[in-house]
Amino acid sequence: MPAFLLKRFIQSIVLLVIVSIIGFTVLNLIPGGPMAQYALDPGMTQDDMNRLAEQLGLNRPIWVQYFDWAWRLLHGDWGTSFRDGNPVTSVIGRHIFATFLLMGSSTAIAIAIGTWIGIRGATHRYSAFDYLATVGAMVALSIPTFWFGLIGIYVFSLRLDWLPAGNMYTIGDGSVLNYLHHLIMPSAVLALVHIAIWSRFMRGATLDVISQEFVKTARAKGVTERRVIMKHVVGNALLPMITLAGVQLPSILTGALVTETVFTWPGMGRLFLDSLGYSDYPVVMGLLMFSALLTIAGNLIADIVVALVDPRIRLA
């Protein structure tokens, strides 16, 4: 186990370096750059632009800017926002809770419903329920997230007036119920696609376990079907799902970016788009590195959990 953890840690560090280099290079190759925002000010002269570029360190070669940024990052300095002058960590920190609340609720919904649909579809193979679940999953995977969001706003906000169309809470009302009321629709929309993915993987994993010899042996001993499924099948079928949960993290973050934009949810996804439009590169790089760290940590934790609960992997 220590050798496995050390190997994964080294791989994670290398991956973070590669992500940072690619992200930093692509951002600096985008036409315009941070100075384009200041150029829109009619009162800015070329001398002012040059002086501002020197103050921000944007007149240096890209590789010098990257190493300076990486060195400060290693010392805990994530940079300063070009937009408002606040530290990047402070800017991101104001939006973390909103994103984690949305991601956590949608992930819980997706795992609970997707697991149930997958198990039921596998135990009732080729039934009407299985066919409906398959068609529903294909539809959910084929239609973009923002379309579901717009349809949800039209039906449940404009037509039925059951749910708010956006934002995280009503101004002046910070109660838990108000937060939950605003959370229902964005979390459901974000969970929809992941329910489809989770249910299909869970169905395949359950079918694979059902065909194993130890399940046939349990049935031959007279164990009830419910006990066979709950004790022997579900636990083993969930093992690959733990890995899937770690792999799904990037897609959840991507879906959160779209969902937060549609529902004006004040999370990191919306912050990323706003910062990108403003060419606020320090915040964009901070969000990129935070997302990379979160994704790598999620995959690493998933691998560790699988190794701990599955003796075959642990002993290997």
Side-chain angles (χ1 to χ4, degrees), residues 13-215:
I13 296 298
V14 174
L15 183 59
L16 279 175
V17 172
I18 294 174
V19 168
S20 67
I21 292 174
I22 294 175
F24 196 91
T25 303
V26 170
L27 281 177
N28 281 274
L29 292 178
I30 295 176
M35 299 306 297
Q37 299 292 333
Y38 300 102
L40 298 176
D41 186 354
M44 291 288 289
T45 64
Q46 187 60 44
D47 291 338
D48 294 333
M49 295 285 289
N50 294 335
R51 183 167 57 254
L52 188 58
E54 183 176 357
Q55 291 176 354
L56 297 175
L58 300 175
N59 58 345
R60 298 173 297 173
I62 292 180
W63 65 272
V64 175
Q65 295 182 46
Y66 171 77
F67 280 111
D68 179 62
W69 170 83
W71 179 256
R72 288 186 287 108
L73 183 68
L74 290 174
H75 289 78
D77 181 7
W78 288 51
T80 303
S81 171
F82 291 159
R83 189 173 187 177
D84 54 19
N86 290 323
V88 171
T89 51
S90 175
V91 175
I92 296 177
R94 293 197 297 264
H95 297 79
I96 285 179
F97 173 73
T99 294
F100 279 13
L101 179 63
L102 180 60
M103 286 177 55
S105 58
S106 62
T107 301
I109 294 172
I111 291 176
I113 299 178
T115 300
W116 177 78
I117 293 175
I119 294 173
R120 183 170 178 80
T123 55
H124 297 75
R125 194 177 184 184
Y126 303 134
S127 64
F129 178 87
D130 190 27
Y131 284 120
L132 286 175
T134 301
V135 173
M138 294 302 104
V139 171
L141 291 172
S142 302
I143 299 177
T145 305
F146 72 86
W147 188 86
F148 286 119
L150 294 176
I151 292 299
I153 291 174
Y154 176 75
V155 173
F156 296 105
S157 297
L158 299 181
R159 303 295 296 180
L160 300 176
D161 196 25
W162 288 355
L163 299 170
N167 294 321
M168 187 175 175
Y169 58 91
T170 303
I171 296 177
D173 185 359
S175 64
V176 175
L177 289 178
N178 186 257
Y179 273 92
L180 293 176
H181 194 212
H182 285 76
L183 181 64
I184 292 173
M185 191 152 54
S187 61
V189 169
L190 182 57
L192 194 59
V193 174
H194 301 288
I195 289 174
I197 297 173
W198 195 273
S199 64
R200 302 316 297 165
F201 273 95
M202 191 64 195
R203 179 182 183 274
T206 304
L207 287 174
D208 182 62
V209 175
I210 288 177
S211 64
Q212 299 296 319
E213 293 298 327
F214 68 87
V215 176

